[in-house]
């Protein structure tokens, strides 16, 4: 990374990026100056990538690398440049991505590298910003992605068993991996060719399932490694969570605390690499969002570098993005890792982004002893330890406190230091604290979803009621058994209708009748004689089977049972995925006290998908001629299609739909699916797991955007709103003893706040220099307060995109309360 590259980024950034530039120009110059100086010392002129026991060696230089996962298929080409620029400004060196087989070869032998699947364009966008690429080819990726990234046609290959020493699988896997490697070579994208790819991955977390395949597992690992290495990419290969990765493939760690769990490289000439540091918990329907604090992420990174001599850390995810269409795995929400340093919409998530950026700078500042120095470690107390790296003239120390409750005082090289609970202090030159994982000085931000259009005009809506199939003669398939769902649908749709007839004899009388259905799908909707009788659904962590056991009414003679089986994503992991069974497993009717009469072997008809999936979504110009109707005096039904149009919001802010009023279904905008929704499945908090659904601006037209929804469970479309998402409130909270950032001009701590997306600081909601009470969410003036605090802050900040205020008595006219530790708390609005 060179200083001029950082300068070009800030000089040529578009207006939306300039908000980042205001706050980060000084940081980027300082960061890149240090990197350039180190590079000039280490570089030998070689144009390859190798490795030794300390690090990846790029052009002859050991490198300390910070990486972040971004998946090209979870965002759009219009978003890529800004996302990458913000990652670079956050101190990243590398962008890491999976390669998704099932988007590139959805149909066997037919390849798609267009639009958001344009892998080459994505890699070139990374290269244009001066970053490296870590390419995780897999081709099994898991990633909470449909079928773990495998195309479903692989399931139907004769005699195939996934991910083991199985010739049909190995042949198809090798074909795809070779296809990707050949494409990368043809485009000159590997580092020895002048491209940005410095490392690749084969397979993914295979050790988790290896034992299930017996002796075939280790044979497959050896084969996969040899196959990859023989492709001669000129860069190293790695296997994550694979302790027995064969030489020269590097075994790497995935997880939350690799500083504690990683067994280490399995060869002395392999470096310690952390390929997935999970920045939050991916959300699933029915669960509340689980965030991970920036303090915890930073602690884990610093511990990995200190204990394991780590030299590569990748954040999974750095930008999660959106699971468009039906690509989310079972029960996974459409929004993916929204709590990552860059949120679903590409907004900077503070304070996580800023806290990690400061840590990156602190660690890069001591790259030389970390990569070349001798290592020692020793105890500082019962739950405290020191890790020291030093050359003949440079030294860095990591002082670790595992105690989560106490702040012990430790002695290190004649220096007395107090360590915060569960924290790591990084000491440059083994004397000066340059970063503390538990002390967050980065600004904070709050997002707001602003309503720009309410879709409550009833005359603008059309509806189409999905017919319940009852005529088996019109079914696509029939058979005297219950079909497995994914085998039948080829995973081209979430929906499969099971239709059967049941003869009710007059002699049966008016006995109580129950319908009993067991399913291994995710949702079941049941109808008898076209009348809805009930639904049932499962959950991510619940039992595999769902059971509907309900009273029904039968007429004399023939009765039609129509069961809609619904998948909310296909599996993404596990051994023998090709053998997994989904769909209805058992159907019976019980009359009175008679035994359950099983219908499993009756004649069943099958209708794949909903009628509207093919005939409604893309027929944008047709209305009543294909069954659409006005919804005046409408009674909301299950299985209904709705459509309307909406205007494109003015500006550049991210666009969302608020679907809180709906139930369960899928949404299309101008023919592009923005994903599944399921707001009726509430989390323990009583709130939907996700209510806002991202519409990338690349999906929108200048006006008259067509919105189409299929609603399974009722819902009220008249309460849907179009929103824009932006950071409208920022906050800084820094005390006078905080460690100044390495990138700071001067040695005094400062409150720094800035607005994103071209917005300016429009108002100061709160400002207090003294001992203000609370934090950025709940705040009030304390016993010590300078009356001019608000005036001073306004003078520095109003009308600007960003500002910094020293936390010094002189800035506020003197010390208001000697002997009391002071801090500055500022809360501002952005418009």
């Amino acid at each position: 990374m060179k200083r001029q590259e950082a300068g070009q980024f800030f000089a040529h950034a578009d207006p939306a990026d300039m908000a980042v530039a205001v706050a980060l120009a000084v940081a980027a110059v300082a960061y890149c100056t240090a990197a350039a100086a180190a590079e000039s010392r280490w570089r030998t002129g070689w144009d390859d990538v190798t490795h030794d026991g300390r690090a990846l060696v790029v052009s002859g230089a050991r490198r300390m690398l910070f990486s972040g996962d971004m998946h090209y298929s979870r965002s759009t080409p219009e978003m890529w440049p800004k996302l990458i620029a913000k990652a670079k400004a956050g101190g990243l060196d590398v962008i890491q991505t999976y390669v998704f087989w099932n988007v590139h070869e959805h149909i066997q032998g037919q390849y798609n590298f267009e639009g958001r699947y344009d892998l080459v364009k994505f890699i070139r966008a990374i290269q244009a910003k001066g970053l490296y690429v870590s390419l995780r080819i897999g081709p099994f990726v898991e990633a909470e992605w449909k079928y773990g990234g495998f195309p479903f046609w692989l399931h139907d290959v004769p005699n195939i068993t996934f991910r083991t020493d199985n010739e049909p699988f190995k042949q198809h896997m090798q074909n795809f991996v070779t296809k990707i490697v050949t494409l990368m070579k043809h485009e000159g994208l590997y580092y020895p060719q002048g491209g940005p790819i410095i490392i690749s991955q084969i397979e993914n977390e295979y050790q988790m399932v290896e034992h299930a395949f017996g002796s075939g597992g280790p044979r497959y690992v050896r084969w996969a490694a040899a196959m990859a290495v023989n492709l001669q990419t000129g860069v190293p290969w790695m296997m994550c969570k694979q302790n027995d990765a064969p030489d020269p493939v590097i075994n790497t760690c995935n997880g939350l605390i690799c500083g504690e769990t990683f067994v280490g490289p399995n060869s002395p000439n392999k470096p310690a690499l952390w390929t997935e540091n999970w920045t939050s918990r991916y959300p699933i329907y029915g669960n509340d969002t689980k965030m991970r604090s920036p303090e915890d992420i930073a602690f884990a990174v610093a511990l990995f570098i200190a204990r394991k001599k780590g030299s590569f850390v990748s954040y999974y995810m750095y930008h999660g993005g959106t699971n468009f269409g039906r690509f989310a795995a079972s029960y996974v929400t459409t929004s993916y890792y929204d709590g990552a340093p860059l949120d679903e919409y590409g907004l900077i998530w503070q304070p996580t982004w800023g806290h990690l950026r400061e840590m990156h700078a602190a660690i890069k500042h001591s790259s030389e002893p970390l990569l070349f120095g001798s290592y020692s470690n020793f105890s500082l107390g019962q739950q405290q330890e020191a890790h020291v790296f030093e050359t003949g003239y440079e030294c860095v120390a990591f002082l670790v406190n595992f105690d989560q409750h106490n702040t012990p005082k430790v002695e290190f090289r004649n220096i007395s230091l107090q360590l915060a609970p569960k924290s790591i202090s990084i000491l440059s030159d083994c004397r000066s604290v340059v970063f503390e994982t538990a002390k967050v000085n980065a600004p904070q931000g709050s997002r707001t979803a602003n309503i720009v259009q309410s879709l409550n005009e009833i005359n603008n809506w059309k509806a189409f009621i999905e017919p319940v199939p009852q005529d088996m003669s019109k079914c696509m398939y029939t058979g005297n058994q219950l079909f497995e769902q994914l085998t039948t649908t080829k995973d081209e749709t979430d929906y499969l209708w099971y239709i059967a007839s049941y003869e009710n004899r007059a002699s049966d009388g008016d006995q109580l009748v129950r319908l009993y259905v067991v399913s291994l799908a995710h949702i079941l909707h049941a109808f008898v004689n076209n009348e809805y009788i009930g639904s049932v659904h499962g959950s991510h962590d619940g039992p595999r089977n769902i059971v509907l056991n309900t009273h029904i009414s039968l007429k004399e003679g023939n009765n039609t049972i129509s069961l809609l089986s619904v998948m909310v994503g296909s599996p993404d992991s596990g051994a023998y995925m090709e053998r997994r069974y989904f769909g209805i497993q058992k159907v019976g009717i019980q009359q009175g006290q008679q035994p359950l009469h099983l219908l499993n072997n009756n004649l069943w008809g099958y209708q794949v998908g909903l009628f509207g999936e093919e005939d409604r979504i893309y027929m944008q110009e047709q209305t009543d001629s294909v069954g659409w109707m006005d919804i005046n005096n409408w009674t909301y039904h299950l299985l209904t299609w709705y459509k309307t149009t909406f205007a494109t919001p003015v500006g550049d802010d991210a666009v969302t739909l608020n679907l809180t009023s709906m139930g369960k279904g899928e949404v299309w905008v101008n023919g592009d699916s923005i994903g599944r929704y399921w707001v009726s499945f509430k989390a323990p908090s009583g709130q939907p797991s996700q209510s806002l659904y991202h519409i990338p601006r690349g999906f929108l037209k200048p006006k008259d955007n067509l919105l189409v929804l299929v609603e399974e469970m009722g819902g009220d479309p008249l309460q849907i709103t179009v929103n824009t998402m932006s950071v409208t409130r920022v906050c800084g909270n820094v005390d006078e003893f905080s460690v100044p950032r390495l990138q700071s001009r001067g040695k005094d701590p400062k409150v720094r706040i800035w607005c994103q997306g071209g917005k300016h600081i429009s108002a100061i909601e709160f400002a207090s220099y003294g001992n203000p009470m609370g934090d950025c969410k709940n705040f009030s003036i304390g016993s010590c307060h300078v009356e001019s605090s608000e005036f001073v802050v306004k003078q520095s900040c109003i009308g600007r995109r960003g500002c910094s205020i020293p936390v010094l008595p002189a800035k506020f006219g003197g010390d208001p309360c000697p002997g009391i530790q002071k801090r500055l708390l500022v809360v501002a609005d952005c418009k």
Side-chain angles (χ1 to χ4, degrees):
M1 185 182 297
K2 297 179 175 61
R3 185 189 315 194
Q4 56 265 36
E5 292 172 347
Q8 288 168 1
F9 163 66
F10 291 108
H12 300 293
D14 62 36
D17 288 329
M18 289 307 295
V20 181
V22 169
L24 300 180
V26 175
V29 170
Y31 173 88
C32 293
T33 300
E39 195 171 23
S40 66
R41 177 189 182 278
W42 297 335
R43 183 174 292 281
T44 62
W46 304 335
D47 291 323
D48 60 2
V49 184
T50 59
H51 60 82
D52 58 23
R54 291 295 282 267
L56 293 177
V57 179
V58 183
S59 290
R62 285 180 181 169
R63 295 298 305 271
M64 175 66 68
L65 298 169
F66 291 104
S67 170
D69 279 76
M70 294 183 189
H71 298 156
Y72 52 98
S73 55
R74 281 174 160 143
S75 55
T76 64
E78 295 81 6
M79 297 172 67
W80 294 342
K82 291 181 182 179
L83 292 170
I84 297 162
K86 291 174 181 178
K88 180 176 181 178
L92 295 195
D93 311 282
V94 183
I95 300 297
Q96 182 166 270
T97 184
Y98 281 124
V99 178
F100 297 89
W101 189 356
N102 56 9
V103 306
H104 296 304
E105 196 183 4
H106 176 67
I107 298 173
Q108 187 174 0
Q110 298 181 23
Y111 293 95
N112 179 8
F113 291 95
E114 302 296 324
R116 65 177 183 271
Y117 307 146
D118 192 338
L119 177 60
V120 170
K121 183 175 181 178
F122 180 66
I123 292 175
R124 291 204 185 283
I126 297 169
Q127 185 177 23
K129 298 298 184 184
L131 300 183
Y132 300 127
V133 172
S134 171
L135 193 65
R136 310 178 76 184
I137 299 176
F140 172 78
V141 299
E142 188 169 342
E144 296 72 56
W145 189 261
K146 174 181 178 179
Y147 220 48
F150 287 159
F152 194 79
W153 57 259
L154 202 64
H155 169 278
D156 295 332
V157 172
N159 303 314
I160 197 166
T161 302
F162 296 171
R163 304 176 72 200
T164 189
D165 187 20
N166 171 268
E167 289 304 321
F169 176 76
K170 291 192 298 183
Q171 176 186 340
H172 288 291
M173 173 178 167
Q174 183 167 0
N175 288 346
F176 180 73
V177 173
T178 303
K179 172 76 176 180
I180 296 301
V181 169
T182 302
L183 176 63
M184 298 299 102
K185 286 182 178 179
H186 180 266
E187 297 292 336
L189 295 177
Y190 285 107
Y191 188 80
Q193 301 175 289
I197 302 173
I198 60 170
I199 191 166
S200 297
Q201 179 179 308
I202 193 72
E203 249 297 335
N204 188 60
E205 298 188 346
Y206 185 69
Q207 186 171 297
M208 307 291 288
V209 298
E210 183 174 355
H211 65 281
F213 298 104
S215 61
R219 288 199 305 271
Y220 168 69
V221 170
R222 293 191 293 272
W223 170 85
M227 182 268 291
V229 171
N230 288 338
L231 291 172
Q232 299 181 357
T233 62
V235 302
W237 287 88
M238 59 185 175
M239 285 182 169
C240 65
K241 273 193 177 179
Q242 193 65 42
N243 295 340
D244 61 352
D247 290 342
V249 177
I250 304 168
N251 61 302
T252 73
C253 186
N254 288 1
L256 288 169
I257 49 173
C258 282
E260 300 178 52
T261 60
F262 186 40
V263 298
N266 63 19
S267 173
N269 67 340
K270 296 179 183 180
L273 311 183
W274 188 355
T275 33
E276 289 188 15
N277 179 9
W278 303 328
T279 54
S280 65
R281 167 70 175 174
Y282 64 86
I284 54 179
Y285 288 116
N287 281 16
D288 289 303
T289 300
K290 296 178 181 178
M291 305 297 289
R292 190 179 180 193
S293 73
E295 298 95 322
D296 190 57
I297 300 173
F299 180 90
V301 173
L303 187 65
F304 178 72
I305 292 171
R307 270 192 170 181
K308 304 296 181 179
K309 298 192 282 289
S311 57
F312 178 102
V313 176
S314 192
Y315 300 101
Y316 191 96
M317 300 289 295
Y318 199 80
H319 164 70
T322 306
N323 289 314
F324 299 113
R326 300 175 45 259
F327 280 107
S330 300
Y331 293 106
V332 174
T333 62
T334 294
S335 175
Y336 190 65
Y337 275 86
D338 186 38
L342 301 179
D343 71 9
E344 179 182 6
Y345 316 104
L347 296 170
I348 289 174
W349 187 269
Q350 293 281 36
T352 300
W353 182 89
H355 192 53
L356 296 180
R357 177 176 59 87
E358 292 179 19
M359 179 185 63
H360 300 154
I363 291 172
K364 291 279 188 174
H365 182 72
S366 297
S367 290
E368 181 118 351
L370 286 170
L371 296 176
F372 292 94
S374 62
Y375 168 75
S376 62
N377 66 86
F378 48 89
S379 174
L380 295 173
Q382 190 172 4
Q383 297 187 68
Q384 294 77 40
E385 59 190 36
H387 300 265
V388 181
F389 299 79
E390 50 191 329
T391 62
Y393 50 90
E394 281 194 57
C395 179
V396 63
F398 293 71
L399 307 187
V400 186
N401 178 25
F402 289 101
D403 191 327
Q404 300 189 37
H405 306 290
N406 299 308
T407 57
K409 184 174 287 187
V410 299
E411 297 293 328
F412 175 75
R413 297 195 175 184
N414 300 318
I415 303 171
S416 181
L417 294 165
Q418 195 156 14
L419 304 181
K422 194 185 179 185
S423 70
I424 298 178
S425 294
I426 301 176
L427 278 63
S428 176
D429 296 325
C430 289
R431 296 191 63 82
S432 304
V433 176
V434 293
F435 183 77
E436 297 173 276
T437 62
K439 197 159 193 175
V440 178
N441 294 319
Q444 299 188 34
S446 301
R447 296 184 311 193
T448 301
N450 298 298
I451 297 175
V452 295
Q453 186 176 353
S454 296
L455 305 183
N456 56 4
E457 177 51 58
I458 195 169
N459 294 323
N460 292 340
W461 283 95
K462 297 285 185 180
F464 170 81
I465 301 174
E466 180 74 23
V468 177
Q470 299 183 81
D471 187 348
M472 277 201 291
S473 67
K474 297 180 180 180
C475 288
M476 298 176 66
Y477 309 106
T478 57
N480 290 97
Q481 60 180 344
L482 295 170
F483 285 6
E484 196 278 327
Q485 184 157 345
L486 295 185
T487 304
T488 308
T489 65
K490 307 304 179 188
D491 205 12
E492 294 290 340
T493 173
D494 289 345
Y495 304 100
L496 178 63
W497 285 101
Y498 293 69
I499 305 105
S501 295
Y502 179 76
E503 188 72 21
N504 183 38
R505 298 167 298 178
S507 59
D508 293 332
D510 295 327
Q511 300 179 82
L512 192 65
V513 182
R514 301 185 69 87
L515 175 67
Y516 182 78
V517 183
V518 177
S519 176
L520 293 175
H522 301 142
I523 302 175
L524 175 69
H525 303 296
F527 300 80
V528 174
N529 298 325
N530 205 32
E531 178 182 349
Y532 172 70
I533 61 166
S535 299
V536 65
H537 69 78
S539 65
H540 183 274
D541 300 318
R544 265 225 62 201
N545 63 317
I546 56 175
V547 178
L548 178 71
N549 188 2
T550 187
H551 296 288
I552 60 172
S553 296
L554 296 176
K555 63 183 181 181
E556 184 177 343
N558 186 58
N559 295 264
T560 302
I561 299 170
S562 305
L563 306 174
L564 180 60
S565 180
V566 184
M567 294 289 292
V568 189
S570 53
D572 68 339
S573 59
Y576 301 106
M577 278 207 319
E578 73 285 352
R579 303 180 189 178
R580 297 281 294 277
Y581 187 98
F582 295 94
I584 294 174
Q585 193 177 38
K586 183 177 183 179
V587 182
I589 287 181
Q590 184 177 33
Q591 294 188 303
Q593 299 300 314
Q594 297 178 23
L596 182 70
H597 178 65
L598 286 179
L599 307 182
N600 289 27
N601 296 322
N602 283 30
L603 180 64
W604 286 89
Y606 297 92
Q607 181 65 45
V608 175
L610 299 180
F611 179 67
E613 282 186 284
E614 292 298 329
D615 297 339
R616 300 290 173 251
I617 298 168
Y618 303 106
M619 301 178 83
Q620 299 180 13
E621 303 303 322
Q622 301 185 51
T623 54
D624 298 331
S625 61
V626 290
W628 293 97
M629 64 188 76
D630 295 330
I631 62 172
N632 291 308
N633 302 314
W634 182 258
T635 300
Y636 297 110
H637 296 267
L638 278 73
L639 302 178
T640 302
W641 294 83
Y642 296 102
K643 72 174 180 178
T644 189
T645 58
F646 65 94
T648 297
V650 176
D652 296 320
D653 288 341
V655 181
T656 69
L657 281 180
N658 189 328
L659 299 179
T660 305
S661 64
M662 302 304 287
K664 157 78 174 66
E666 190 174 348
V667 194
W668 292 260
V669 174
N670 297 324
D672 287 310
S673 173
I674 64 170
R676 301 182 184 96
Y677 65 89
W678 195 359
V679 293
S680 62
F681 189 4
K682 299 294 193 292
S685 65
Q687 298 300 313
S689 301
Q690 182 182 352
S691 57
L692 297 173
Y693 289 78
H694 182 207
I695 308 173
R697 284 194 174 265
F699 285 13
L700 297 174
K701 302 188 298 185
K703 61 179 181 179
D704 298 329
N705 297 285
L706 179 68
L707 172 66
V708 176
L709 308 92
V710 59
E711 171 57 53
E712 293 175 34
M713 299 182 176
D716 180 4
L718 297 181
Q719 295 184 48
I720 295 174
T721 60
V722 180
N723 300 345
T724 55
M725 183 70 77
S726 61
V727 175
T728 55
R729 191 195 219 194
V730 293
C731 171
N733 185 11
V734 177
D735 70 55
E736 61 184 343
F737 297 119
S738 293
V739 176
R741 299 184 308 166
L742 279 175
Q743 310 95 324
S744 297
R745 294 175 177 173
K747 298 181 178 180
D748 300 312
K750 297 178 181 179
V751 163
R752 289 176 169 83
I753 55 174
W754 47 274
C755 298
Q756 300 185 44
K759 293 178 171 53
H760 294 75
I761 297 171
S762 58
I764 301 301
E765 186 176 338
F766 179 84
S768 177
Y769 175 68
N771 61 350
M773 307 288 288
D775 53 26
C776 287
K777 294 182 179 179
N778 301 288
F779 41 80
S780 62
I781 292 171
S783 59
C784 173
H785 169 71
V786 174
E787 292 296 332
S788 63
S789 298
E790 185 174 330
F791 174 80
V792 171
V793 173
K794 283 183 175 180
Q795 287 290 103
S796 299
C797 300
I798 292 294
R800 300 180 180 180
R801 290 186 177 178
C803 60
S804 63
I805 308 103
V807 187
L808 292 173
K811 182 68 176 177
F812 295 90
D815 192 338
C817 39
I820 295 178
Q821 180 176 323
K822 286 163 284 294
R823 61 189 176 111
L824 176 60
L825 175 59
V826 177
V827 181
D829 295 334
C830 295
K831 288 187 180 179

